[in-house]
Coordinates of all heavy atoms in Angstrom, one line a residue:
M246 N 180.2 0.6 250.7 CA 179.5 0.4 251.9 C 178.0 0.5 251.6 O 177.5 1.5 251.1 CB 179.9 1.4 252.9 CG 179.3 1.3 254.3 SD 179.8 2.5 255.5 CE 181.6 2.4 255.5
E247 N 177.2 -0.5 251.9 CA 175.8 -0.5 251.7 C 175.1 0.5 252.7 O 175.4 0.4 253.9 CB 175.2 -1.9 251.8 CG 173.7 -1.9 251.4 CD 173.1 -3.3 251.5 OE1 173.9 -4.3 251.4 OE2 171.9 -3.4 251.5
S248 N 174.3 1.4 252.3 CA 173.7 2.4 253.2 C 172.5 2.0 254.0 O 172.1 2.7 254.8 CB 173.4 3.6 252.4 OG 172.4 3.3 251.4
T249 N 171.9 0.8 253.7 CA 170.7 0.4 254.4 C 171.0 -0.7 255.4 O 170.0 -1.1 256.1 CB 169.7 -0.1 253.4 OG1 170.2 -1.2 252.7 CG2 169.3 1.0 252.5
R250 N 172.2 -1.2 255.6 CA 172.6 -2.2 256.5 C 173.9 -1.9 257.3 O 174.7 -1.1 256.8 CB 172.7 -3.5 255.9 CG 171.5 -4.0 255.2 CD 171.6 -5.5 254.6 NE 170.3 -6.0 254.3 CZ 169.6 -6.7 255.1 NH1 169.9 -6.9 256.3 NH2 168.4 -7.2 254.7
C251 N 174.0 -2.4 258.4 CA 175.3 -2.3 259.2 C 176.4 -2.9 258.4 O 176.3 -4.0 257.9 CB 175.2 -2.9 260.5 SG 176.7 -3.0 261.5
P252 N 177.5 -2.1 258.2 CA 178.6 -2.7 257.4 C 179.4 -3.8 258.1 O 180.1 -4.5 257.5 CB 179.5 -1.5 257.2 CG 179.2 -0.5 258.2 CD 177.7 -0.7 258.6
R253 N 179.2 -3.9 259.4 CA 179.9 -5.0 260.2 C 179.1 -6.3 260.2 O 179.6 -7.3 259.9 CB 180.1 -4.5 261.6 CG 180.9 -5.6 262.4 CD 181.3 -5.0 263.7 NE 182.2 -6.0 264.4 CZ 181.8 -6.8 265.4 NH1 180.6 -6.7 265.9 NH2 182.6 -7.6 265.9
C254 N 177.8 -6.2 260.5 CA 177.0 -7.5 260.6 C 175.9 -7.6 259.6 O 175.3 -8.7 259.5 CB 176.5 -7.5 262.1 SG 175.1 -6.4 262.4
G255 N 175.5 -6.6 258.9 CA 174.4 -6.7 257.9 C 173.0 -6.4 258.5 O 172.1 -6.6 257.8
W256 N 172.9 -6.0 259.8 CA 171.6 -5.7 260.4 C 170.9 -4.6 259.6 O 171.6 -3.6 259.4 CB 171.8 -5.4 261.8 CG 170.5 -5.4 262.6 CD1 169.7 -4.3 262.8 CD2 169.8 -6.5 263.2 NE1 168.6 -4.7 263.5 CE2 168.7 -6.0 263.8 CE3 170.2 -7.8 263.4 CZ2 167.8 -6.8 264.5 CZ3 169.3 -8.6 264.1 CH2 168.1 -8.1 264.6
P257 N 169.6 -4.7 259.3 CA 168.9 -3.6 258.6 C 168.8 -2.4 259.5 O 168.4 -2.4 260.7 CB 167.5 -4.2 258.4 CG 167.6 -5.7 258.6 CD 168.8 -5.9 259.5
L258 N 169.2 -1.2 259.0 CA 169.2 0.0 259.7 C 167.8 0.5 260.1 O 167.5 1.1 261.1 CB 169.9 1.1 259.0 CG 171.3 0.9 258.7 CD1 171.9 2.1 258.0 CD2 172.1 0.7 260.0
A259 N 166.8 0.0 259.3 CA 165.4 0.4 259.6 C 164.9 -0.2 260.9 O 164.0 0.3 261.5 CB 164.5 -0.1 258.4
E260 N 165.6 -1.2 261.4 CA 165.2 -1.8 262.6 C 165.9 -1.3 263.9 O 165.7 -1.7 265.0 CB 165.4 -3.3 262.6 CG 164.5 -4.0 261.5 CD 164.6 -5.5 261.5 OE1 165.1 -6.1 262.5 OE2 164.3 -6.1 260.5
L261 N 166.8 -0.3 263.6 CA 167.5 0.4 264.7 C 166.7 1.6 265.2 O 166.0 2.2 264.3 CB 168.9 0.8 264.3 CG 169.9 -0.4 263.9 CD1 171.2 0.2 263.4 CD2 170.1 -1.3 265.1
P262 N 166.8 2.0 266.4 CA 166.1 3.2 266.9 C 166.6 4.5 266.2 O 167.8 4.6 266.0 CB 166.3 3.2 268.4 CG 167.6 2.4 268.6 CD 167.6 1.4 267.5
A263 N 165.7 5.4 266.0 CA 166.1 6.7 265.4 C 166.6 7.6 266.6 O 166.2 7.4 267.7 CB 165.0 7.4 264.7
T264 N 167.4 8.6 266.3 CA 167.8 9.6 267.3 C 166.9 10.8 267.3 O 166.2 11.0 266.3 CB 169.3 10.0 267.1 OG1 169.3 10.7 265.8 CG2 170.2 8.9 267.1
A265 N 166.9 11.5 268.4 CA 166.0 12.7 268.5 C 166.6 14.0 267.9 O 165.9 14.9 267.6 CB 165.7 12.9 270.0
A266 N 167.9 14.0 267.7 CA 168.6 15.3 267.2 C 168.3 15.5 265.8 O 168.5 14.5 265.0 CB 170.1 15.2 267.5
Q267 N 167.9 16.7 265.4 CA 167.6 17.0 264.0 C 168.2 18.4 263.6 O 167.5 19.4 263.8 CB 166.1 16.9 263.7 CG 165.5 15.6 263.9 CD 164.1 15.5 263.5 OE1 163.5 16.5 263.1 NE2 163.5 14.4 263.7
P268 N 169.4 18.4 263.2 CA 170.0 19.7 262.7 C 169.1 20.3 261.6 O 168.4 19.7 260.9 CB 171.4 19.4 262.3 CG 171.7 18.1 262.9 CD 170.4 17.4 263.0
A269 N 169.3 21.6 261.4 CA 168.5 22.4 260.5 C 168.6 22.0 259.0 O 167.6 21.8 258.3 CB 168.7 23.9 260.6
T270 N 169.9 21.8 258.5 CA 170.1 21.5 257.1 C 170.3 20.1 256.8 O 169.6 19.5 256.0 CB 171.2 22.4 256.6 OG1 172.4 22.1 257.3 CG2 170.9 23.9 256.6
H271 N 171.3 19.5 257.4 CA 171.6 18.1 257.2 C 171.5 17.4 258.5 O 171.7 17.9 259.6 CB 173.1 17.9 256.7 CG 173.3 18.5 255.4 ND1 172.8 17.9 254.2 CD2 173.9 19.6 254.9 CE1 173.1 18.6 253.2 NE2 173.8 19.7 253.6
R272 N 171.1 16.1 258.4 CA 170.9 15.3 259.6 C 172.1 14.3 259.8 O 172.3 13.4 259.0 CB 169.6 14.6 259.6 CG 169.4 13.8 260.8 CD 168.1 13.1 260.8 NE 168.0 12.3 262.0 CZ 166.8 11.9 262.5 NH1 165.7 12.3 261.9 NH2 166.8 11.2 263.6
L273 N 172.9 14.5 260.8 CA 174.0 13.6 261.2 C 173.6 13.0 262.5 O 173.3 13.7 263.5 CB 175.3 14.3 261.3 CG 176.5 13.5 261.8 CD1 176.8 12.4 260.8 CD2 177.7 14.3 262.1
D274 N 173.5 11.7 262.5 CA 173.2 11.0 263.8 C 174.1 9.8 264.0 O 174.7 9.3 263.0 CB 171.8 10.7 264.0 CG 171.2 9.7 262.9 OD1 171.9 9.4 262.0 OD2 170.1 9.3 263.1
Y275 N 174.2 9.3 265.2 CA 175.0 8.1 265.5 C 174.0 7.1 266.2 O 173.2 7.5 267.1 CB 176.1 8.5 266.5 CG 177.1 9.5 265.9 CD1 176.9 10.8 266.1 CD2 178.2 9.0 265.2 CE1 177.8 11.7 265.5 CE2 179.0 9.9 264.6 CZ 178.8 11.3 264.8 OH 179.7 12.1 264.2
V276 N 174.1 5.9 265.8 CA 173.2 4.8 266.3 C 174.1 3.6 266.7 O 175.1 3.4 266.0 CB 172.1 4.4 265.4 CG1 171.1 5.5 265.3 CG2 172.5 4.0 264.1
R277 N 173.7 2.9 267.7 CA 174.5 1.7 268.1 C 173.7 0.5 267.4 O 172.5 0.3 267.6 CB 174.5 1.6 269.6 CG 175.1 0.3 270.1 CD 176.6 0.5 270.1 NE 177.1 0.6 271.5 CZ 178.4 0.6 271.7 NH1 179.3 0.6 270.8 NH2 178.8 0.7 273.0
C278 N 174.5 -0.3 266.7 CA 173.9 -1.5 266.1 C 173.8 -2.6 267.1 O 174.5 -2.5 268.2 CB 174.8 -1.9 264.9 SG 174.1 -3.3 264.0
V279 N 173.0 -3.6 266.8 CA 172.9 -4.8 267.7 C 174.2 -5.5 267.9 O 174.5 -6.2 268.9 CB 171.8 -5.7 267.3 CG1 170.5 -5.1 267.3 CG2 172.1 -6.3 265.9
C280 N 175.2 -5.4 266.9 CA 176.5 -6.0 267.0 C 177.5 -5.2 267.9 O 178.6 -5.7 268.2 CB 177.1 -6.2 265.6 SG 177.6 -4.7 264.8
G281 N 177.1 -4.0 268.3 CA 177.9 -3.2 269.2 C 178.6 -2.1 268.4 O 179.2 -1.2 269.1
S282 N 178.6 -2.1 267.1 CA 179.3 -1.0 266.4 C 178.5 0.3 266.4 O 177.3 0.2 266.3 CB 179.4 -1.5 264.9 OG 180.1 -0.6 264.1
W283 N 179.2 1.4 266.5 CA 178.6 2.7 266.3 C 178.5 3.1 264.8 O 179.6 2.9 264.2 CB 179.3 3.8 267.1 CG 179.0 3.8 268.5 CD1 179.8 3.3 269.5 CD2 177.8 4.3 269.2 NE1 179.1 3.4 270.7 CE2 177.9 4.1 270.5 CE3 176.7 5.0 268.7 CZ2 177.0 4.5 271.5 CZ3 175.7 5.4 269.6 CH2 175.9 5.1 271.0
L284 N 177.4 3.5 264.3 CA 177.3 3.9 262.9 C 177.0 5.3 262.8 O 176.2 5.9 263.6 CB 176.1 3.1 262.3 CG 176.1 1.6 262.5 CD1 174.8 1.0 261.9 CD2 177.3 1.0 261.8
A285 N 177.7 6.0 261.9 CA 177.5 7.4 261.6 C 176.6 7.5 260.4 O 176.9 6.9 259.4 CB 178.8 8.2 261.4
R286 N 175.5 8.2 260.5 CA 174.6 8.3 259.4 C 174.4 9.8 259.0 O 174.2 10.6 259.9 CB 173.2 7.7 259.7 CG 173.2 6.3 260.0 CD 171.8 5.7 260.1 NE 171.1 6.3 261.2 CZ 169.9 5.9 261.6 NH1 169.3 4.8 261.0 NH2 169.3 6.5 262.6
L287 N 174.5 10.1 257.7 CA 174.3 11.5 257.2 C 173.1 11.4 256.3 O 173.1 10.7 255.3 CB 175.5 12.0 256.5 CG 175.4 13.4 255.9 CD1 175.2 14.4 257.0 CD2 176.7 13.7 255.1
D288 N 172.1 12.1 256.7 CA 170.8 12.1 256.0 C 170.3 10.7 255.8 O 169.8 10.3 254.7 CB 170.9 12.8 254.6 CG 171.2 14.3 254.8 OD1 170.7 14.9 255.8 OD2 171.8 14.9 253.9
G289 N 170.5 9.8 256.8 CA 170.0 8.4 256.7 C 170.9 7.4 256.1 O 170.6 6.2 256.1
E290 N 172.0 7.9 255.5 CA 172.9 7.0 254.8 C 174.2 6.7 255.7 O 174.8 7.7 256.2 CB 173.4 7.6 253.5 CG 174.2 6.6 252.6 CD 174.5 7.2 251.3 OE1 173.6 7.9 250.7 OE2 175.6 6.9 250.7
V291 N 174.6 5.5 255.8 CA 175.8 5.1 256.6 C 177.0 5.7 256.0 O 177.3 5.4 254.8 CB 175.9 3.6 256.8 CG1 177.2 3.3 257.5 CG2 174.7 3.1 257.6
V292 N 177.8 6.5 256.7 CA 179.0 7.1 256.2 C 180.2 6.6 257.0 O 181.4 6.9 256.6 CB 179.0 8.6 256.1 CG1 177.9 9.1 255.1 CG2 178.7 9.2 257.5
G293 N 180.0 5.8 258.0 CA 181.1 5.3 258.8 C 180.7 4.4 259.9 O 179.5 4.4 260.3
A294 N 181.6 3.5 260.4 CA 181.3 2.6 261.5 C 182.6 2.4 262.3 O 183.7 2.7 261.8 CB 180.9 1.2 260.9
T295 N 182.4 2.1 263.6 CA 183.5 2.0 264.5 C 184.3 0.7 264.4 O 185.4 0.6 265.0 CB 183.1 2.3 265.9 OG1 182.1 1.3 266.3 CG2 182.6 3.7 266.1
R296 N 183.7 -0.3 263.9 CA 184.3 -1.6 263.8 C 184.4 -2.1 262.4 O 183.6 -1.9 261.6 CB 183.6 -2.7 264.7 CG 183.6 -2.3 266.1 CD 182.9 -3.4 266.9 NE 182.9 -3.0 268.3 CZ 182.4 -3.7 269.3 NH1 181.8 -4.8 269.0 NH2 182.3 -3.3 270.5
A297 N 185.4 -2.9 262.1 CA 185.6 -3.5 260.8 C 184.6 -4.5 260.5 O 184.0 -5.1 261.4 CB 187.0 -4.1 260.6
R298 N 184.4 -4.8 259.2 CA 183.4 -5.8 258.8 C 183.8 -7.2 259.3 O 185.0 -7.5 259.3 CB 183.4 -5.8 257.2 CG 182.4 -6.8 256.7 CD 182.4 -6.7 255.2 NE 181.7 -5.4 254.9 CZ 181.3 -5.0 253.8 NH1 181.5 -5.7 252.7 NH2 180.8 -3.8 253.6
L299 N 182.9 -8.0 259.7 CA 183.1 -9.3 260.1 C 183.5 -10.2 258.9 O 182.9 -10.0 257.8 CB 181.9 -9.9 260.8 CG 181.5 -9.4 262.1 CD1 180.2 -10.0 262.6 CD2 182.6 -9.6 263.1
T300 N 184.5 -11.0 259.0 CA 184.8 -11.9 257.9 C 184.3 -13.3 258.2 O 184.4 -13.8 259.4 CB 186.3 -12.0 257.7 OG1 186.9 -12.4 259.0 CG2 186.9 -10.7 257.3
R301 N 183.7 -13.9 257.3 CA 183.1 -15.3 257.5 C 183.6 -16.3 256.5 O 184.0 -16.1 255.5 CB 181.6 -15.2 257.3 CG 181.0 -14.3 258.4 CD 179.5 -14.3 258.3 NE 179.1 -13.3 259.3 CZ 177.9 -12.7 259.4 NH1 177.0 -13.0 258.4 NH2 177.6 -11.9 260.3

């Protein structure tokens, strides 16, 4: 899984809004991609997504 793009549609994560929550040691946040998939990021790296990759 590439950590800088949405695994479903390939949208660059740098263009998605950041979340306000910042835990003390590690940062786990969830962001909604433009394709509708929820992405779980741990310290800025995508570790999971709610929808499967699009096939083309």
Side-chain angles (χ1 to χ4, degrees):
M246 183 179 308
E247 188 176 339
S248 64
T249 60
R250 297 186 168 272
C251 173
R253 182 170 188 255
C254 70
W256 190 269
L258 297 182
E260 295 182 22
L261 296 176
T264 62
Q267 295 183 4
T270 55
H271 294 287
R272 181 177 177 156
L273 174 64
D274 62 352
Y275 298 91
V276 293
R277 178 80 109 175
C278 184
V279 295
C280 69
S282 182
W283 279 102
L284 307 175
R286 298 188 299 187
L287 179 61
D288 295 331
E290 185 174 328
V291 175
V292 294
T295 58
R296 295 186 183 177
R298 178 175 295 191
L299 291 175
T300 56
R301 294 183 182 160

